[in-house]
Amino acid sequence: MTGSALADPWEATHMLLEALGSVLLGFALAWAAAARLSHRLPDRRIVLSVGPLAGLFGAFLTHSAIGPGHGVTTVLGATFVASVLLSLLLRPTRRLRRSAA
């Protein structure tokens, strides 16, 4: 078939596995953050929904930047983006003190 959007028939499967792996790693990161840092994060439902969405967005961003054929790099980039977006949900600790100077 000429004019096919995908040159390799397995490319769609690879992209699906990248997306699924990124969503699962985003969920694992969110679950770990909710378990360890629950006192500094908003509601658990928000954290557990942001993680997979951030992983999927990270996979899209990384795949768009480096192109097809770099599955491991795409998943690593998605994990990085998910961890950064989850870190934006953190609230500061209450131990902040201002100096008199």
Side-chain angles (χ1 to χ4, degrees):
M1 182 191 275
T2 60
S4 175
L6 300 174
D8 182 18
W10 292 103
E11 188 174 346
T13 305
H14 291 266
M15 287 180 10
L16 183 64
L17 288 175
E18 287 174 8
L20 182 63
S22 300
V23 166
L24 289 175
L25 280 173
F27 182 76
L29 277 172
W31 182 78
R36 298 258 318 158
L37 301 168
S38 62
H39 61 284
R40 293 185 58 197
L41 287 168
D43 187 37
R44 187 176 179 91
R45 290 176 292 183
I46 293 173
V47 175
L48 292 179
S49 62
V50 165
L53 290 174
L56 190 60
F57 175 69
F60 169 72
L61 188 68
T62 309
H63 186 84
S64 297
I66 63 172
H70 302 282
V72 175
T73 308
T74 300
V75 173
L76 287 175
T79 305
F80 176 74
V81 170
S83 63
V84 167
L85 288 177
L86 283 169
S87 74
L88 292 175
L89 294 177
L90 286 172
R91 292 183 290 230
T93 60
R94 301 281 185 228
R95 292 182 269 159
L96 293 176
R97 289 189 231 169
R98 295 186 182 244
S99 63

